[in-house]
């Protein structure tokens, strides 16, 4: 690692669940990718690999976003599937956490989706991407400002219903440790 930078862009703010990316979100994305490209240029990086996940994957105007990023920054962004996203996440976890022969459950909480991965240091047994990201749920259940107890309970029930089958599969596989990422 030669440099670190992180931006909370929230591309899905007001635009998840099949809604188009807002003009403000597109501008935040273009600006942030431009900033990251400038950092890469300072380090004489030859090639930038940029990927987009659930917010762009689901947006009906994703092509406009990708075009604007390319025109403004020169960076070509590739939209990846939820399964591919899960694979990249688990590769990163494997490089940072000593899993060894244990079976690990990795849960990555994003803004639009949650990825669940079960595997060992050498093998992946199961990957799943679910539309249960923090921003998506906060917007859907009115949890952004001052959530009511009822709204929070509705959200919990929605999550339990949505992951019931995944939970059973993970329990059948069995896990020795759980790694959370975001």
């Amino acid at each position: 690692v030669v440099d670190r930078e992180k931006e909370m862009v929230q591309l899905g703010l007001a635009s998840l669940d099949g809604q188009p990316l807002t003009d403000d979100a597109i501008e935040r994305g273009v600006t942030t990718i431009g900033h990251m490209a400038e950092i890469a240029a300072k380090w004489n990086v030859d090639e930038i690999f940029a990927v987009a996940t659930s917010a762009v994957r689901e947006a009906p105007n994703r092509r406009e976003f990708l075009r604007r990023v390319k025109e403004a920054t020169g960076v070509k962004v590739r939209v990846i599937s939820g399964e591919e996203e899960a694979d990249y996440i688990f590769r990163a976890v494997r490089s940072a956490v000593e899993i060894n022969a244990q079976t690990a459950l990795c849960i990555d909480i994003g803004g639009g989706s949650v990825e669940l991965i079960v595997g060992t240091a050498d093998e992946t047994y199961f990957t799943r991407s679910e539309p249960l990201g923090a921003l998506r749920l906060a917007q859907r259940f009115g949890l952004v400002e001052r959530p009511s107890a009822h709204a929070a309970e509705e959200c919990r029930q929605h999550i339990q219903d949505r992951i019931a089958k995944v939970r059973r599969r993970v329990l059948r596989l069995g896990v020795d440790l759980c790694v959370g990422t975001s």
Side-chain angles (χ1 to χ4, degrees), residues 9-11 22-36 65 68-69 73 77:
V9 180
Q10 293 189 315
L11 283 176
T22 64
D23 290 339
D24 287 344
I26 290 172
E27 189 56 41
R28 287 192 309 272
V30 169
T31 299
T32 300
I33 292 171
H35 177 68
M36 299 300 175
F65 172 75
R68 287 188 48 194
V69 168
T73 69
V77 178

Side-chain angles (χ1 to χ4, degrees), residues 47-95:
E47 193 172 4
I48 296 174
F49 294 93
V51 297
T53 58
S54 64
V56 177
R57 189 166 51 232
E58 297 173 20
N61 60 340
R62 70 182 154 276
R63 284 191 173 104
E64 176 190 348
F65 172 75
L66 299 172
R67 178 187 53 76
R68 287 188 48 194
V69 168
K70 178 76 169 144
E71 287 175 359
T73 69
V75 175
K76 182 178 180 185
V77 178
R78 188 169 67 86
V79 181
I80 61 172
S81 71
E83 297 300 312
E84 193 172 4
E85 183 178 358
D87 180 60
Y88 285 140
I89 290 163
F90 201 54
R91 287 172 190 241
V93 167
R94 284 176 174 153
S95 72

